[in-house]
Amino acid sequence: MSLRGVVGFCILLAVVVGASVQQGRQRESDHRQVLAHRGEERRIRDADIDFFARRVKEDPTGAIDLAKLGGLYLRRARETGNNEDILRAERAARRSIENRRRSNSSGYRLLANSLMGQHRFAEAREAAFTLTATDDADLTGRALLGEIDLELGRYHEADSLFNRLRVVRNQLTIAPRYARWAELRGRAGEARRLLADTRRAILSREDLPSEQVAWFDLRLGEFALRMGASNEATMYLAHGLQVAPDDWRLLGALARLAATRGDARETIEYGERAIAQALDPATLGVVGDAYRTLGDTGKAEEYVRAMETAVATQLGPYHRAWSLYLLDHNRRIPDVLANVKAELQERRDVYGYDLLAWALYKSARFPEAQTVMHQALAVGTEDPLLQRHARAIEAAAAGPGA
Amino acid sequence: MRHHSFTRGQKIAIAAVLLVGGFGARRTLVGSDHQDSPNVELNPAMDMTDVYAFPGSAPGRIVLVLNSHPFLTPAATSGASFDHNLLYQFKIDNTGDALEDKVIQVTFTGTGASQKVEVRGPVAPPVIGAMQNTVSTATPAVTGSINTVLGSATGIQVFAGPRDDPFFIDLEQFFRVIPDRKPETGELSQLPDVATASSFRPAAQAKNYVAGYNLMSIVIELPASMLTDGGNSKIGIWGTISR
């Protein structure tokens, strides 16, 4: 190479290295800024909690401040995974409603949401029903009632509610619920489009907490993950992580995504970052499996025990992700079967039937599993997990010679 | 207090209407609205609470105030700014036909404490009507940072930034006094409209619900003649925020 060529190459190399270092510094600086912003949001949230707690003390007969205080508790519960805050929100909602039974939509909304957070869906439905009955103009209340109906498997009631909300489906508080309905009723494409449109609208706003912005990335990422679109899931979840780098739900979803790719080390990396924020049972299970894949059965069992402990501290009747984990690992199948049957008395949704069918399949009760799986599929939900379970059950019911 | 609610479509909030006669001689406050529709509840930056007009710091001067973004908590106030996607307008009718003859248009660039404000007008409205958001091509009369007094004391003087909400109401008691809303049909429509209180609480017990909250205020003082154009001194003033 001539001297001129060497000089040229060195200059080019310096430019490339310089640009790369500059980009790295920029990324680091952006990351620091995002973390500082998240810290400021948390500071404001906690200061606001103190502010409203003081106001409640000053006028304990009021309803509005109690509802606002409870709303902040719920937000903190979402951000930290702290169940105590969900219970605080419920208490605030009940006090707010006690102080004013009517013209108190925010009190009833808060009560319904805090009960949903505890998976007490039947009670949540009562609160949401009262809300819609006393304030028929509250469209968010109707969407909330529809969402609870979906959780309870009351699909015809949900159909009726959401069909009437079609013209306002793009509203921020309605879109995610409407999309969930569309997804469960077999219109996954419509659900995805609506969520993506809403996310675009959200990204153009600067007044929303980063937790809410990242939540849409989480929903779309999880949606893509369920549908097996891992590139799309990566895109949304990675964007969400830029907005909220310490969001335990996004980190947990990224761990699950890595697990579907079979990347045990990345699963552990994301999963442990998520667990450092909140002890989510599903994430503990995924990380445990990743350790097992790497041959570390001791560590894997440690995570299973941690998962069990975490499940015991969860609010609500029983944990579905835990049940699915147990079934997939052929553990405590009779217990899970009994729990699922008990829950179906109240909550007859597609995933309840799917879990029952899977528990029956794991109990080698194939014809019963087949019947229950048909009930699950009748809802119309296009979820590869359901399809996978259905195929396994059909094959088992047909017998070895089929 | 009479409570009026004006909601046109989803993109606009129209605040209280003021009639100002002779600048100090007669003023009628018609209403105030905080969080008057679901849309502004979800978009607090476009939630207009009040428009005020009152005599200014010197004879012949008038102060106009347009308040928005209610219920800012003290912790949230330091980072609060106006929405740069919105057009904030004072509208002035000086011919008595309830249509704006002049507008003062206020827009913002940037976000946070370093946000800049631009004030155009008073000028003839580029388009007449509540739903329009066309910004005048006129050069801004005043520009500068928010949270700063801008302009001149003899011409147009402007302040835009957070301020204590001047409105007051014992809102909790208000809800006890008014008959509650209920559905028009069905079982619950049979509920009696019984109020649990018949009047506001005595001053010593009453709680001003708005106390302690801040909002975002646009305050403009200018010679009244810039609004009347030497004509009728009785003018109508209202405000809009539109996207």
Side-chain angles (χ1 to χ4, degrees):
Chain A
M1 192 184 285
S2 68
L3 183 60
R4 187 185 282 183
V6 171
V7 170
F9 176 74
C10 288
I11 290 171
L12 184 65
L13 188 65
V15 167
V16 169
V17 169
S20 167
V21 167
Q22 186 60 33
Q23 270 183 354
R25 280 189 190 144
Q26 185 61 45
R27 268 199 301 273
E28 207 175 295
S29 158
D30 289 349
H31 186 68
R32 272 201 303 272
Q33 267 183 23
V34 170
L35 284 178
H37 177 64
R38 293 271 291 168
E40 178 63 5
E41 282 182 335
R42 279 194 284 267
R43 186 195 68 74
I44 291 173
R45 179 199 66 203
D46 292 342
D48 283 352
I49 286 176
D50 293 343
F51 174 75
F52 285 109
R54 272 199 307 277
R55 288 173 65 96
V56 166
K57 209 176 266 182
E58 283 165 14
D59 187 5
T61 65
I64 305 167
D65 286 331
L66 275 163
K68 288 189 175 179
L69 178 63
L72 285 163
Y73 283 140
L74 261 194
R75 180 179 147 196
R76 191 165 66 182
R78 284 196 304 272
E79 290 174 351
T80 63
N82 181 353
N83 292 328
E84 273 303 308
D85 274 331
I86 299 184
L87 297 175
R88 286 191 189 102
E90 185 197 340
R91 285 196 291 273
R94 290 197 187 281
R95 277 183 64 195
S96 174
I97 292 167
E98 209 171 286
N99 285 347
R100 181 150 37 86
R101 290 199 174 276
R102 292 161 64 194
S103 291
N104 190 4
S105 300
S106 48
Y108 283 106
R109 266 205 299 269
L110 175 66
L111 181 60
N113 278 315
S114 59
L115 290 167
M116 276 186 82
Q118 300 170 58
H119 288 203
R120 289 158 61 187
F121 296 108
E123 291 168 83
R125 189 175 193 280
E126 264 180 55
F129 185 79
T130 310
L131 164 64
T132 54
T134 52
D135 187 355
D136 53 6
D138 191 326
L139 301 179
T140 303
R142 279 198 240 166
L144 178 60
L145 180 60
E147 182 185 13
I148 297 168
D149 279 340
L150 290 175
E151 293 291 348
L152 288 168
R154 302 171 71 129
Y155 294 109
H156 292 302
E157 284 101 327
D159 290 347
S160 166
L161 280 161
F162 283 113
N163 274 322
R164 280 181 279 152
L165 290 171
R166 185 171 175 76
V167 288
V168 289
R169 69 188 181 283
N170 288 311
Q171 282 186 17
L172 182 58
T173 56
I174 293 170
R177 294 170 169 128
Y178 190 98
R180 181 70 178 148
W181 168 63
E183 182 190 349
L184 289 175
R185 296 304 259 165
R187 304 195 310 277
E190 184 187 350
R192 187 183 159 281
R193 277 193 302 279
L194 180 57
L195 280 174
D197 288 348
T198 313
R199 174 181 175 269
R200 266 194 294 279
I202 292 280
L203 289 177
S204 69
R205 286 181 54 170
E206 286 146 8
D207 59 328
L208 295 174
S210 54
E211 180 260 332
Q212 282 186 27
V213 177
W215 186 86
F216 276 86
D217 283 319
L218 177 72
R219 281 283 283 121
L220 277 156
E222 285 188 326
F223 185 90
L225 191 55
R226 275 198 297 280
M227 297 299 155
S230 63
N231 286 343
E232 196 177 315
T234 306
M235 182 191 80
Y236 284 122
L237 296 176
H239 181 271
L241 214 56
Q242 279 173 22
V243 178
D246 49 358
D247 188 303
W248 62 275
R249 297 161 306 178
L250 281 164
L251 290 164
L254 279 159
R256 289 194 293 283
L257 177 62
T260 61
R261 284 201 308 264
D263 188 336
R265 291 190 193 285
E266 197 175 290
T267 303
I268 292 168
E269 191 204 317
Y270 280 124
E272 291 194 333
R273 280 170 65 190
I275 291 160
Q277 304 287 331
L279 276 181
D280 171 43
T283 308
L284 286 164
V286 171
V287 175
D289 281 349
Y291 275 115
R292 201 180 305 281
T293 305
L294 293 176
D296 191 342
T297 49
K299 198 91 172 163
E301 280 308 308
E302 231 175 75
Y303 272 84
V304 174
R305 283 195 294 277
M307 187 180 183
E308 192 154 9
T309 310
V311 166
T313 64
Q314 295 287 303
L315 302 170
Y318 85 112
H319 201 279
R320 281 190 175 174
W322 171 236
S323 300
L324 195 57
Y325 179 90
L326 290 174
L327 292 178
D328 285 343
H329 292 76
N330 298 313
R331 295 181 183 208
R332 296 195 219 159
I333 292 167
D335 291 347
V336 174
L337 185 58
N339 282 336
V340 177
K341 278 184 170 172
E343 200 201 26
L344 267 180
Q345 298 298 314
E346 177 183 290
R347 194 179 169 197
R348 297 176 179 196
D349 68 317
V350 55
Y351 290 102
Y353 280 116
D354 170 62
L355 206 53
L356 176 60
W358 199 232
L360 288 166
Y361 166 81
K362 289 286 182 173
S363 309
R365 292 161 63 177
F366 304 129
E368 288 169 84
Q370 199 178 21
T371 308
V372 175
M373 199 65 215
H374 286 162
Q375 280 177 281
L377 294 175
V379 176
T381 311
E382 298 163 1
D383 184 333
L385 175 80
L386 299 180
Q387 304 301 332
R388 183 163 61 80
H389 287 174
R391 277 196 302 275
I393 290 167
E394 285 299 322
Chain B
M1 185 193 75
R2 286 166 60 199
H3 196 88
H4 280 246
S5 194
F6 301 88
T7 304
R8 297 272 305 267
Q10 291 192 327
K11 292 188 177 174
I12 195 152
I14 305 177
V17 179
L18 287 162
L19 293 173
V20 181
F23 309 112
R26 185 160 58 85
R27 301 178 299 281
T28 307
L29 177 65
V30 180
S32 171
D33 269 314
H34 291 57
Q35 296 183 334
D36 66 323
S37 76
N39 192 40
V40 293
E41 210 172 333
L42 292 170
N43 301 278
M46 70 185 301
D47 185 356
M48 192 189 314
T49 61
D50 299 282
V51 171
Y52 300 96
F54 48 85
S57 58
R61 289 179 68 76
I62 183 171
V63 179
L64 308 178
V65 182
L66 188 157
N67 288 336
S68 62
H69 207 145
F71 303 123
L72 272 174
T73 61
T77 299
S78 60
S81 57
F82 295 88
D83 188 336
H84 58 79
N85 296 307
L86 300 177
L87 170 62
Y88 300 75
Q89 291 190 87
F90 292 96
K91 298 193 169 184
I92 299 104
D93 166 27
N94 59 21
T95 54
D97 62 357
L99 296 172
E100 63 268 39
D101 301 294
K102 284 182 175 290
V103 290
I104 299 175
Q105 299 189 320
V106 186
T107 55
F108 297 88
T109 53
T111 56
S114 59
Q115 191 171 51
K116 305 279 185 208
V117 58
E118 290 188 346
V119 179
R120 290 178 171 81
V123 291
V127 187
I128 292 173
M131 296 297 285
Q132 305 302 333
N133 59 0
T134 309
V135 180
S136 163
T137 53
T139 306
V142 176
T143 59
S145 298
I146 63 167
N147 301 320
T148 314
V149 177
L150 305 166
S152 80
T154 53
I156 300 176
Q157 202 160 32
V158 175
F159 171 86
R163 279 289 174 262
D164 185 29
D165 191 335
F167 194 68
F168 59 93
I169 182 171
D170 188 350
L171 189 60
E172 296 286 4
Q173 189 70 356
F174 175 79
F175 277 116
R176 295 183 191 109
V177 174
I178 59 161
D180 283 345
R181 287 171 295 171
K182 61 175 184 173
E184 289 181 3
T185 55
E187 213 173 296
L188 284 165
S189 65
Q190 303 306 312
L191 286 168
D193 284 327
V194 179
T196 55
S198 57
S199 64
F200 280 105
R201 293 182 276 199
Q205 293 164 22
K207 301 280 180 194
N208 174 16
Y209 183 79
V210 188
Y213 281 114
N214 299 317
L215 42 63
M216 298 304 283
S217 203
I218 299 169
V219 186
I220 299 178
E221 188 186 82
L222 74 170
S225 58
M226 292 179 80
L227 306 181
T228 59
D229 272 347
N232 192 356
S233 66
K234 183 178 175 181
I235 58 174
I237 297 173
W238 65 102
T240 63
I241 299 178
S242 51
R243 202 186 290 280

